[in-house]
Amino acid sequence: AVAAAAAAATRFEPFPQRDGAARDARPACIAGSFNPPHNGHLGLVRHLSLRHSAVVVVIGHNAAKAYAVSPLERQALVRQACADLQIENVRVECSDDYIWRVARKHGAPLLYRGIRSWAKDGLAERWLEFLNLIGPPALALAPPLRTCFLEADPRYAHVSSTLIRRRCAAAESVADLVPPSIADAVAKLYG
């Protein structure tokens, strides 16, 4: 029964997503660690900004994990990149709460997640989706929050935050992986 509910609640939008549709008045919510943010992330945020009246980018922070770069520093990077890319209807916030609670607080009807491929990201993403399905009914007596997976632009399907951190640690350029406006800051913070 849980598997059937999960399958019914899942949406998947292959690349390219349609940007010509009418703008949804409800906000979109996309969450991740953005550690660091890269062109793949920003492509998804731009897409959502064209389809929704507002986009809430949630930088999730797990207190049990150690991050070399703070959530507030990552928030500043995402804000700078969005401003320089002229993505204007975006709010960036950090949270250590359940992402479904943040989405509900902002009135988002579902949660968006970027996915490079099912082979690379599928298992971890399905686990997060499961938590967003069972969390609201179990902890708040609320309906489950659906997840919509957005397939990455194939130009960025090889890009991961891990790849960027490795390049920074090796003092290699990341200019081809992150927006130009934050390339120096990313290299400095992660190098």
Side-chain angles (χ1 to χ4, degrees), residues 49-175:
S49 77
L50 296 171
R51 292 190 48 208
H52 291 269
S53 61
V55 179
V56 180
V57 176
V58 183
I59 298 173
H61 174 69
N62 182 342
K65 289 185 177 180
Y67 297 94
V69 177
S70 77
L72 292 175
E73 290 169 310
R74 289 180 270 144
Q75 178 185 41
L77 290 171
V78 174
R79 284 181 175 161
Q80 181 67 49
C82 286
D84 291 340
L85 294 170
Q86 299 177 344
I87 307 172
E88 299 173 355
N89 57 336
V90 175
R91 175 184 178 152
V92 185
E93 62 181 63
C94 302
S95 180
D96 60 359
D97 200 355
Y98 293 112
I99 299 304
W100 58 265
R101 283 188 175 150
V102 178
R104 292 282 159 108
K105 177 179 81 173
H106 290 286
L110 54 89
L111 179 64
Y112 286 95
R113 297 286 299 178
I115 189 163
R116 293 172 293 167
S117 73
W118 288 112
K120 290 179 184 176
D121 302 324
L123 184 61
E125 289 299 332
R126 286 295 192 181
W127 176 247
L128 292 174
E129 177 189 25
F130 178 73
L131 294 177
N132 289 320
L133 285 171
I134 66 165
L139 300 174
L141 299 176
L145 185 65
R146 291 177 43 207
T147 300
C148 179
F149 295 102
L150 299 174
E151 185 179 31
D153 181 331
R155 294 176 297 170
Y156 307 124
H158 71 286
V159 178
S160 69
S161 294
T162 302
L163 171 64
I164 296 169
R165 289 192 304 268
R166 285 183 186 147
R167 279 201 191 175
C168 289
E172 297 174 6
S173 174
V174 294

Side-chain angles (χ1 to χ4, degrees), residues 27-51:
C29 183
I30 186 166
S33 63
F34 299 91
N35 190 30
H38 54 69
N39 289 333
H41 294 136
L42 277 297
L44 297 173
V45 172
R46 178 186 297 284
H47 166 71
L48 292 173
S49 77
L50 296 171
R51 292 190 48 208

